[in-house]
Amino acid sequence: MVDHSFADLSLAALYDSLNPWGPGDDFYLDLVMSAGSVLDVGCGTGRLLRRARGEGHGGRLMGLDPAAAMLVQARRGEPAVEWVLGDLRSRLWDGHGFDLVVMTGHAFQELVGDEELRAALAAVRAALSPTGRFVFETRNPAARAWERWTPDRVHRVTGPDGRPVRVWHEVEGTPGGDRVTFTETYEGGPWSQPRVSRSTLRFLGADSLSDHLGDAGLEVVEQYGDWGRGPLAPGCPEIITIATPRLAG
């Protein structure tokens, strides 16, 4: 199911303002520019591939997202990219041979169920060339980011129509296991009543990530704790993972 904040055109139009370009985007852009063909899974508004094409990437760029409203933003920004509505399970990937598959913006954490995760990773493996790389980031569960998702931390942005919008998050109850459910509330802008989106994210540690990737025929070759490629440590905010197809034999 697509989160309301991604399916609603008025909310999707706010995504880039709420998530401005930062060090993580620079990290991924360097990878994209050095790869001949790229699949961006959960591409959202397509900001990464739009920038890559604008900076002269001449190879194949495909952005995949299940939210039509997000792809509306992507196509408006750069029609010279393959924008595909769907998810990893909605296509046959054998033979595509992408040099790079990425999942940015913590999209990997939206793979909440084991079956969903297994299917997605199998599709990634099928989409990669034998020497391709799968790169994604998740929030490090040891850093407990959800403890800072509180209503007093309000984000203020200006909508496309020039009106101010207030956005805040609130975790539902005490997180149990590796899943955290929270609400995202939008107030102001064009709406007479607040818009509320409810989401669940999965927080997997480095060992669990390696196990799931291994089961899909992928091998972790590098992991970092921040966008400066610092080592992974308990207090690091991110688990940035680079995996490659595991060689047979």
Side-chain angles (χ1 to χ4, degrees):
M1 181 180 294
V2 178
D3 287 346
H4 183 58
S5 58
F6 301 150
D8 186 307
L9 278 171
S10 64
L11 299 182
L14 296 172
Y15 183 86
D16 287 349
S17 296
L18 287 168
N19 301 276
W21 189 275
D25 300 286
D26 290 328
F27 177 92
Y28 282 110
L29 182 61
D30 286 343
L31 296 173
V32 171
M33 295 303 292
S34 64
S37 56
V38 182
L39 171 63
D40 184 355
V41 179
C43 67
T45 63
R47 178 173 60 188
L48 176 63
L49 298 187
R50 287 190 280 123
R51 176 73 70 91
R53 187 66 88 205
E55 294 195 5
H57 193 293
R60 185 183 188 189
L61 299 176
M62 176 184 288
L64 176 71
D65 201 280
M70 298 296 264
L71 291 183
V72 167
Q73 307 297 319
R75 292 190 179 102
R76 284 175 179 169
E78 178 54 82
V81 169
E82 294 178 63
W83 303 116
V84 179
L85 181 65
D87 59 28
L88 282 166
R89 297 168 297 174
S90 64
R91 296 175 64 90
L92 295 176
W93 297 102
D94 290 329
H96 279 69
F98 286 99
D99 298 318
L100 178 68
V101 176
V102 299
M103 293 184 74
T104 71
H106 303 109
F108 188 91
Q109 292 186 252
E110 296 176 25
L111 301 171
V112 176
D114 284 345
E115 182 177 347
E116 179 184 22
L117 181 56
R118 282 193 294 268
L121 290 178
V124 167
R125 175 66 181 84
L128 282 170
S129 73
T131 58
R133 293 185 292 175
F134 175 40
V135 187
F136 64 96
E137 90 286 345
T138 62
R139 297 175 182 88
N140 185 357
R144 303 179 67 84
W146 61 84
E147 293 181 347
R148 296 181 291 278
W149 298 347
T150 54
D152 59 297
R153 294 174 179 262
V154 178
H155 303 275
R156 293 176 173 82
V157 296
T158 301
D161 60 1
R163 286 185 280 186
V165 177
R166 301 169 69 248
V167 184
W168 65 91
H169 303 85
E170 186 170 7
V171 173
E172 293 188 348
T174 302
D178 56 18
R179 294 166 177 82
V180 176
T181 299
F182 63 98
T183 58
E184 185 173 45
T185 302
Y186 297 77
E187 183 180 70
W191 314 292
S192 59
Q193 299 291 330
R195 295 290 184 95
V196 180
S197 175
R198 185 173 183 268
S199 305
T200 299
L201 298 178
R202 190 171 187 181
F203 287 74
L204 292 173
D207 290 342
S208 293
L209 290 171
S210 295
D211 289 343
H212 283 290
L213 289 163
D215 290 343
L218 296 163
E219 180 179 8
V220 175
V221 294
E222 296 176 80
Q223 278 186 323
Y224 307 113
D226 58 50
W227 298 115
R229 296 178 182 261
L232 181 60
C236 292
E238 306 284 352
I239 303 176
I240 302 161
T241 299
I242 300 178
T244 59
R246 189 170 53 213
L247 298 178

